[in-house]
Amino acid sequence: RVQPVESGGGSVQAGGSTRLSCALSESTLRSYCVGWVRQAPGKEREGVAVVDTDLSTVYGESVKGRFTIFKDTAKRVVYLQMNNLKPEDSAMYYCAAGEVLSCGRWSPMYYGLDYWGKGTLVTVSS
C-alpha cells in the first residue's frame, strides 16, 4: 500500500527556510513519481514540485529558484527544501505519489499522483 506521510511543517518568518519530509517505502521511491502539492484556504491546489524515478524534477513557476525537491532512497524520504519563503507560500502541503509517465509534465503538474498524504501546514508570517 502506498501511503505518504508528511512532516516538518510549522511557522516560519518571511525570508526564512524550512524543510518538509515525505516518508515512503523504498519500493515506492524507486518506482513512483513523487511530488508536493499545496493548497491555501480558498484557493485551488497548486503543484509545487515533482521528482521522477530518474531524479528529473519539475517545479511550479512560483517556487522556481527557491524550492528544491530531492529524495534520499536510503532514508526512504522525499524532501522539499523551501528557501526565501513568502507569506503567499502559506498553505497545507501534501505529498503525493503515483505511477505516471512524464512525471510532472501534465496539467496540472500533479496529474497521475493517486496516493496522497494527510498534509502538513506551513505558515509564513511577514
Side-chain angles (χ1 to χ4, degrees):
R1 183 184 175 198
V2 180
Q3 181 58 63
V5 178
E6 305 95 336
S7 61
S11 297
V12 187
Q13 286 201 325
S17 299
T18 194
R19 178 181 291 184
L20 306 183
S21 301
C22 175
L24 292 157
S25 69
E26 184 175 355
S27 60
T28 301
L29 280 179
R30 294 190 184 280
S31 305
Y32 283 58
C33 171
V34 180
W36 289 92
V37 182
R38 68 185 182 186
Q39 188 166 23
K43 295 189 176 181
E44 294 186 353
R45 284 180 180 175
E46 178 187 8
V48 176
V50 297
V51 57
D52 206 344
T53 54
D54 63 357
L55 302 184
S56 61
T57 56
V58 178
Y59 292 92
E61 286 296 324
S62 63
V63 306
K64 280 184 180 177
R66 300 188 298 123
F67 291 10
T68 303
I69 187 171
F70 60 101
K71 58 182 176 181
D72 187 329
T73 305
K75 294 184 178 179
R76 295 178 286 181
V77 178
V78 172
Y79 297 102
L80 183 67
Q81 178 66 40
M82 307 162 66
N83 298 330
N84 191 20
L85 283 160
K86 304 175 181 180
E88 51 264 42
D89 294 317
S90 298
M92 186 71 80
Y93 283 74
Y94 299 91
C95 179
E99 290 185 294
V100 56
L101 297 177
S102 301
C103 173
R105 291 164 176 81
W106 301 91
S107 181
M109 177 196 300
Y110 50 88
Y111 171 81
L113 303 187
D114 297 324
Y115 302 94
W116 291 64
K118 295 181 179 180
T120 185
L121 184 63
V122 174
T123 303
V124 184
S125 57
S126 58

